Amino acid sequence: SMTDQPVAPFTPLLLEEEMKESYLTYAMSVLVDRALPDIRDGLKPVHRRILFSMRDLNLTAGAKYQKSAKIVGQCIGNYHPHGDGAVYDAMVRMAQDFSLRYMLVDGQGNFGSIEGDSAAAYRYTEARMTRFGEMMLDDIQYDTVDFRPNFDESRQEPTVMPAKLPNLLINGSSGIAVGMATNIPPHNIGEVVQALVHVIENPACTTADLLQFIKAPDFPTGGLVCGVGSLKETYETGRGRVLMRARIEKEEINGKQCLVITEIPYGIKLGTIVDSIEEAVKSDRITALSNLFNLSSGGGIRLVAELKRGEDPDVVLNQLYQHTNLQYTFAINMIALD
């Protein structure tokens, strides 16, 4: 009968203590193993594992492209026991010239567009590393970084990349963890390297010294960075805001005054910008436009806003900045794992 069974010993637990303990463990794992980049190589675990999987497959910058499905499978099977969607999305972003200032993955096929189209499925696209991606792994074979066992202890994976590239600063990073988020803007590699050389030669230098070299963020989509005066405080504290504006030229096309948008704020898709202009026109916040043409092609962005006769282009320009996504704030919050 049931009563003959020995009763398993049990420990009474306070529910709130157990909740606290479990949630803290979860929060720490999100912080350390998912959402925040390492300060040394600027990568999150998923990016590091993708690049290491590509190294396993010998996908250097000069190699023949291989199917993305193979890379994603290699990564999931050996290093990253998570969904294939998460791995492929991370890999796609590393291959988009409008997402990363210096791409780490060289993609062949449809890897999405700045218009807002998503990439083709991984069975259709192919990839290999870029020269920048290779530089992240340079000299890894010479015992330069620590390795740890992978999830099933069948092989070793690097805890960090050797990273000859100052990746955290030149490509930036963004991530939402638990109770903490990061948003680091990309910077110009020439400026960052000049600043690095200065630090090596003058280890006691200040942030102000480095700002002679690094003036402001440098976004892959171009555009203008406004109000750089407040950036000194932003770089000293790691928190602040930077105002991004589209690059808009005045042109006369077929005898009509036009405003031509050729570069847009970082992180916003062109489709979203077109929608925001149409919405501003529909709600009568902007009344001077007669037409909007999206003439963008592989050669770059060209969004033409045609003005009604007799309208002042400067006034319309200010209205566009005020009422649409052609002006956008990048909230800087520099947090990384040390």
Side-chain angles (χ1 to χ4, degrees):
S1 69
M2 291 294 288
T3 50
D4 297 342
Q5 298 287 328
V7 179
F10 65 90
T11 316
L13 280 179
L14 278 175
L15 183 63
E16 63 216 68
E17 287 300 320
E18 180 57 32
M19 289 292 288
K20 234 186 250 177
E21 191 66 33
S22 300
Y23 194 75
L24 201 63
T25 311
Y26 163 70
M28 281 310 292
S29 84
V30 172
L31 284 169
V32 178
D33 289 336
R34 189 179 309 174
L36 297 184
D38 189 295
I39 200 165
R40 297 167 294 178
D41 62 5
L43 297 175
K44 300 176 190 178
V46 65
H47 303 118
R48 200 174 294 124
R49 287 164 169 171
I50 289 167
L51 288 174
F52 198 62
S53 301
M54 291 176 102
R55 180 178 183 268
D56 286 350
L57 296 167
N58 290 321
L59 290 178
T60 55
K64 193 168 166 284
Y65 291 96
Q66 286 201 22
K67 276 271 190 269
S68 301
K70 189 169 185 177
I71 300 163
V72 172
Q74 176 85 4
C75 187
I76 294 173
N78 292 333
Y79 307 111
H80 199 66
H82 296 274
D84 57 343
V87 175
Y88 185 51
D89 289 350
M91 189 178 106
V92 163
R93 205 174 161 277
M94 290 160 82
Q96 292 174 333
D97 60 359
F98 52 88
S99 292
L100 250 61
R101 183 70 184 78
Y102 301 96
M103 297 177 293
L104 302 177
V105 172
D106 174 10
Q108 180 163 273
N110 170 17
F111 273 80
S113 75
I114 197 163
E115 296 267 351
D117 310 306
S118 50
Y122 57 36
R123 60 182 180 274
Y124 300 118
T125 60
E126 300 181 338
R128 63 183 178 192
M129 281 186 255
T130 58
R131 182 69 196 100
F132 289 118
E134 253 186 272
M135 281 174 78
M136 293 297 291
L137 288 148
D138 271 357
D139 294 345
I140 197 168
Q141 69 273 32
Y142 299 126
D143 204 18
T144 41
V145 293
D146 290 335
F147 278 72
R148 63 169 175 226
N150 69 341
F151 61 89
D152 63 358
E153 302 193 353
S154 61
R155 55 178 65 214
Q156 298 282 307
E157 63 170 335
T159 55
V160 66
M161 291 297 185
K164 277 187 182 176
L165 211 59
N167 185 52
L168 185 69
L169 288 175
I170 64 171
N171 275 327
S173 188
S174 71
I176 299 168
V178 177
M180 207 177 275
T182 185
N183 208 24
I184 301 173
H187 293 85
N188 183 287
I189 191 169
E191 295 177 356
V192 171
V193 169
Q194 282 182 311
L196 282 170
V197 170
H198 185 76
V199 172
I200 292 165
E201 290 171 356
N202 310 280
C205 68
T206 63
T207 304
D209 296 340
L210 297 179
L211 292 182
Q212 331 168 54
F213 307 106
I214 300 177
K215 309 283 190 223
D218 183 21
F219 296 106
T221 51
L224 310 171
V225 174
C226 307
V228 290
S230 64
L231 281 174
K232 179 176 187 293
E233 192 187 337
T234 299
Y235 282 123
E236 279 181 342
T237 60
R239 295 179 76 100
R241 306 168 81 75
V242 61
L243 196 65
M244 304 179 291
R245 277 185 165 179
R247 188 180 292 280
I248 305 178
E249 313 287 349
K250 296 171 204 160
E251 277 185 36
E252 195 171 300
I253 302 171
N254 299 334
K256 292 183 177 175
Q257 283 273 32
C258 295
L259 291 172
V260 181
I261 297 142
T262 54
E263 295 175 5
I264 59 174
Y266 177 61
I268 303 175
K269 300 286 185 274
L270 191 60
T272 311
I273 286 176
V274 171
D275 292 346
S276 77
I277 296 172
E278 287 172 350
E279 178 56 41
V281 170
K282 215 178 282 177
S283 60
D284 287 338
R285 288 199 292 272
I286 298 176
T287 54
L289 295 186
S290 63
N291 245 322
L292 186 67
F293 304 104
N294 186 0
L295 307 177
S296 307
S297 65
I301 290 173
R302 188 171 166 81
L303 190 62
V304 180
E306 198 178 89
L307 274 57
K308 292 176 182 167
R309 293 216 178 277
E311 295 288 354
D312 182 346
D314 289 321
V315 172
V316 184
L317 191 64
N318 284 332
Q319 288 176 340
L320 283 171
Y321 283 141
Q322 191 179 344
H323 298 301
T324 73
N325 285 342
L326 291 169
Q327 174 174 296
Y328 203 78
T329 304
F330 186 97
I332 295 174
N333 185 19
M334 302 206 193
I335 290 180
L337 294 170
D338 182 2

